[in-house]
Amino acid sequence: MSWHVLGAGSLGSLWATRLFRAGVPVQLILRDAQRLAAYRQAGGLTLVEQGQASLYAIVAGDLNEQAPIERLLLACKAYDAAEAIAAVAHRLTPEAEVILLQNGLGSQDEVAVQLPGRRCLPASSTEGAFRDGDWRVVFAGQGHNWIGDPLDATPPGWLSDLQRSHIPHTWSPDILARLWRKLALNCAINPLTVLHGCRNGELVRHGDQVDALCAELAGLLHGCGQADAARDLHLDVWRVIEATAANYSSMYQDVAAGRRTEISYLLGYACAAAERAALQVPHLKVVHRQLLEHLDRHGLPRY
Ligand code: NAP
């Protein structure tokens, strides 16, 4: 059974190249005939690891192809997920399984609602990769992947493909708690690094703001039935700030590079969830408003 990887960006390429070189059948789904022609011109995907570049001639098709899909890795940004799945939904077999690599929350439901009866498995990744050219991905940070299914705790058989491909992973029956926790960490750190224009570690100078956001986020997690995800959030936020002190957050990097952010699926999702649960989150709301204004000033989308 072949893996299909939709989105040959940073994470999609990182997964596809590792599956391919382990001999696991995999093919890429690219946006259109033009992107497919450019890919074929490049001769494949290049993975750069510890300065060593290797080219992998992975089979690719585009969204117009009609061959059935049994296992799909959806590897686009959260804001592209719903549209991307709509373009391939008719190709998914009734037993098809879809692994969702999107950060944040919200896109998983936008996808699942289009795939009644199909198994959708959200993943949460701490691996780091970036593109330093078209069809070239740099493996920048070792990490881990947690994969789960909120509706069914039975691990899928294809985890052995990940094992064989040395893709570090853990089957996670509490994947929603993990996604919520990651969202809360992101909301406590990333927006402030954008607003203060600083590295993660410099947030020690804005400790009161971080602490106020942590308190509201812990309350939000409790209010949304995610008490486990709220445990020691505050300590974890400061641990992450210290451990990543020299780094610029992903949101900071997106804004600095003029790239669209995933704000709607991170801070925007948190504020909407608070509204639905009738919870007061004044600090989160202020930071959200300031971040939207910041995006406006930089000509970037608010969603
Ligand atoms: P990325 O490098 O921007 O890659 C996304 C890819 O999806 C692009 O190649 C894009 O194609 C493709 N795409 C979007 N819509 C498509 C469509 N309709 N049909 C075909 N291809 C489509 O993004 P990423 O960094 O891999 O991030 C993916 C997700 O993983 C995000 O939610 C991110 O937050 C999360 N994540 C990333 C990292 C990381 O280190 N990169 C780490 C943890 C989590 P084009 O190139 O043609 O636009």
Side-chain angles (χ1 to χ4, degrees):
M1 194 181 287
S2 180
W3 286 70
H4 282 79
V5 176
L6 193 160
S10 309
L11 279 198
S13 300
L14 187 59
W15 279 60
T17 50
R18 288 180 294 180
L19 289 166
F20 179 82
R21 73 181 174 191
V24 175
V26 57
Q27 42 196 300
L28 303 170
I29 303 178
L30 306 178
R31 208 180 267 281
D32 52 33
Q34 213 177 347
R35 294 293 286 153
L36 185 56
Y39 173 77
R40 288 188 173 142
Q41 182 78 26
L45 282 180
T46 297
L47 175 65
V48 183
E49 275 174 301
Q50 289 155 357
Q52 286 277 353
S54 309
L55 177 70
Y56 300 103
I58 302 170
V59 171
D62 67 27
L63 286 176
N64 296 315
E65 280 185 20
Q66 297 304 322
I69 298 172
E70 292 172 303
R71 183 173 306 135
L72 179 69
L73 180 73
L74 189 64
C76 57
K77 289 282 175 65
Y79 49 72
D80 282 328
E83 197 180 318
I85 207 70
V88 293
H90 65 285
R91 292 174 56 188
L92 295 173
T93 63
E95 296 78 31
E97 295 175 286
V98 183
I99 299 106
L100 307 168
L101 275 186
Q102 289 64 47
N103 203 2
L105 279 162
S107 67
Q108 298 85 359
D109 289 341
E110 292 173 2
V111 169
V113 77
Q114 297 185 54
L115 305 176
R118 263 54 159 269
R119 195 173 192 196
C120 291
L121 302 105
S124 178
S125 180
T126 58
E127 294 194 294
F130 64 88
R131 288 187 278 180
D132 72 344
D134 227 7
W135 319 115
R136 262 179 77 95
V137 62
V138 180
F139 193 177
Q142 301 289 328
H144 199 78
N145 300 284
W146 286 267
I147 305 168
D149 176 351
L151 304 177
D152 180 356
T154 321
W158 45 258
L159 292 180
S160 59
D161 285 351
L162 305 189
Q163 193 75 28
R164 187 171 148 197
S165 308
H166 303 292
I167 296 176
H169 65 281
T170 301
W171 176 248
S172 175
D174 62 347
I175 190 67
L176 282 185
R178 213 160 254 291
L179 290 170
W180 270 104
R181 175 69 158 218
K182 192 171 180 209
L183 176 134
L185 287 164
N186 186 300
C187 290
I189 298 171
N190 294 24
L192 290 181
T193 63
V194 174
L195 294 176
H196 295 297
C198 68
R199 294 175 198 265
N200 292 357
E202 290 164 53
L203 290 182
V204 291
R205 287 196 268 116
H206 309 281
D208 289 352
Q209 250 184 319
V210 175
D211 289 342
L213 291 180
C214 286
E216 289 183 5
L217 286 161
L220 174 64
L221 293 175
H222 277 283
C224 293
Q226 297 291 336
D228 278 355
R231 192 163 304 133
D232 294 333
L233 175 67
H234 197 175
L235 288 176
D236 207 16
V237 166
W238 282 110
R239 182 194 60 76
V240 170
I241 288 174
E242 204 178 303
T244 60
N247 298 358
Y248 286 109
S249 73
S250 54
M251 192 178 266
Y252 177 101
Q253 290 181 45
D254 282 341
V255 173
R259 287 190 300 257
R260 182 174 172 185
T261 68
E262 294 180 299
I263 180 174
S264 300
Y265 300 89
L266 295 162
L267 189 52
Y269 185 90
C271 288
E275 190 100 17
R276 279 196 300 275
L279 293 167
Q280 300 301 316
V281 288
H283 292 90
L284 278 171
K285 278 168 130 173
V286 167
V287 170
H288 187 219
R289 182 176 47 72
Q290 290 175 342
L291 189 56
L292 292 175
E293 289 165 3
H294 188 91
L295 296 177
D296 287 346
R297 282 196 297 278
H298 287 73
L300 291 169
R302 307 181 123 228
Y303 48 87

